[in-house]
């Protein structure tokens, strides 16, 4: 299985598994397109874009995922994919790798940034349990507020710096939702500064409603 692509590669580019072949392969793995496992497999096999694999990435990726057998059959790859999906919420290093590679998967080929609508959907997939990592804390629905903020106040595309720094903000906000660590002079993108102001507005509004009650 690892000596060839999961489906015939196009003759004009025999080292690439194109969209049709990749979609059929994911279906054979019993992975739906709205499953976070798609992103996990994309990172593991170093897919250059969504719905495309290279022969090198395919072979080396499966060997790295399962060194003992190289996941050299479809059934072994299905099992490995299931284990990979289950590990995402409990393996921070794995989740970080998947998150960062998702930017590459989410971009339209030839573009340097991800369209906002696409970024919103990928954030929702990455930060929603049970297979994604929940971006919420007891007092703050971070993901809900982040998506709401962007839909209301941000109309631009998402560049790599914004994508990566959103992950850092996710990590810090889960560690301390009070934002005591926040520094307005820090090296955060302007959009994150604006989001912090948005969060403070929502908290103040919520506190006001509690006092009225």
């Amino acid at each position: 299985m690892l000596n060839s692509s999961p489906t015939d590669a196009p003759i004009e580019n025999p080292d690439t598994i194109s969209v049709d072949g990749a979609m059929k392969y994911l279906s054979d793995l019993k992975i739906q397109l709205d499953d976070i496992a798609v992103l996990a497999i994309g990172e593991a096999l170093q897919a250059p874009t969504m719905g495309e694999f290279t022969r090198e990435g395919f072979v080396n990726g499966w060997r790295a995922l399962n060194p003992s057998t190289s996941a050299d059959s479809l059934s072994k790859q299905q099992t490995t994919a299931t284990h990979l999906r289950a590990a995402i919420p409990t393996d921070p290093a794995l989740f970080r790798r998947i998150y960062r590679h998702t930017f590459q998967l989410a971009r339209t080929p030839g573009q340097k940034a991800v369209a906002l609508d696409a970024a919103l959907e990928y954030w929702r997939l990455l930060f929603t349990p049970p297979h994604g990592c929940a971006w919420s804390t007891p007092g703050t629905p971070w993901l809900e507020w982040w998506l709401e903020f962007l839909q209301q106040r941000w109309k631009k595309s998402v560049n790599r710096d914004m994508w990566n720094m959103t992950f850092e903000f996710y990590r810090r906000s889960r560690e301390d939702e009070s934002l005591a660590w926040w520094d307005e002079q820090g090296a955060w993108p302007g959009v994150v500064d604006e989001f912090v102001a948005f969060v403070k507005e929502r908290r103040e509004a919520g506190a006001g409603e509690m006092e009225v009650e």
Side-chain angles (χ1 to χ4, degrees):
M1 183 70 179
L2 289 179
N3 292 325
S4 60
S5 62
T7 188
D8 291 337
I11 295 175
E12 65 273 14
N13 193 352
D15 292 321
T16 298
I17 303 164
S18 59
V19 173
D20 290 345
M23 294 303 100
K24 182 180 184 305
Y25 176 61
L26 291 171
S27 177
D28 290 342
L29 286 179
K30 303 187 186 308
I31 296 175
Q32 302 297 318
L33 294 182
D34 59 354
D35 186 336
I36 197 171
V38 170
L39 307 181
I41 294 298
E43 188 282 326
L45 307 188
Q46 289 298 291
T49 188
M50 183 61 75
E52 183 177 299
F53 300 116
T54 65
R55 190 183 300 274
E56 180 182 11
F58 184 88
V59 172
N60 293 341
W62 282 118
R63 284 177 177 161
L65 281 173
N66 201 328
S68 60
T69 67
S70 295
D72 55 3
S73 70
L74 186 62
S75 62
K76 291 176 183 177
Q77 291 165 12
Q78 289 173 339
T79 299
T80 301
T82 298
H83 292 163
L84 189 63
R85 181 196 293 111
I88 292 170
T90 59
D91 187 335
L94 171 64
F95 182 61
R96 184 176 185 273
R97 292 199 307 272
I98 292 169
Y99 179 93
R100 291 178 72 91
H101 190 75
T102 296
F103 180 83
Q104 183 167 325
L105 298 177
R107 285 185 306 177
T108 300
Q111 299 298 312
K112 293 183 178 181
V114 177
L116 179 60
D117 287 348
L120 296 175
E121 292 305 314
Y122 282 109
W123 276 318
R124 188 174 285 109
L125 180 59
L126 287 159
F127 291 131
T128 300
H131 300 304
C133 293
W135 188 10
S136 63
T137 49
T140 311
W142 292 103
L143 176 61
E144 177 185 331
W145 283 1
W146 175 242
L147 300 180
E148 179 183 338
F149 162 75
L150 292 174
Q151 289 171 318
Q152 290 181 2
R153 305 188 185 184
W154 185 261
K155 304 301 181 182
K156 302 176 184 178
S157 57
V158 177
N159 63 25
R160 187 182 294 274
D161 181 58
M162 177 178 169
W163 180 264
N164 289 342
M165 292 304 287
T166 298
F167 182 87
E168 295 306 313
F169 188 86
Y170 144 82
R171 186 180 61 79
R172 296 295 300 275
S173 62
R174 292 214 314 174
E175 292 173 352
D176 179 4
E177 70 172 332
S178 73
L179 295 178
W181 48 269
W182 176 255
D183 179 4
E184 292 183 357
Q185 304 304 314
W188 296 95
V191 63
V192 178
D193 292 328
E194 293 174 25
F195 177 58
V196 170
F198 176 85
V199 169
K200 291 178 178 179
E201 290 173 10
R202 293 298 298 268
R203 288 177 171 174
E204 290 172 1
E209 290 174 1
M210 291 180 65
E211 291 177 4
V212 170
E213 293 176 358

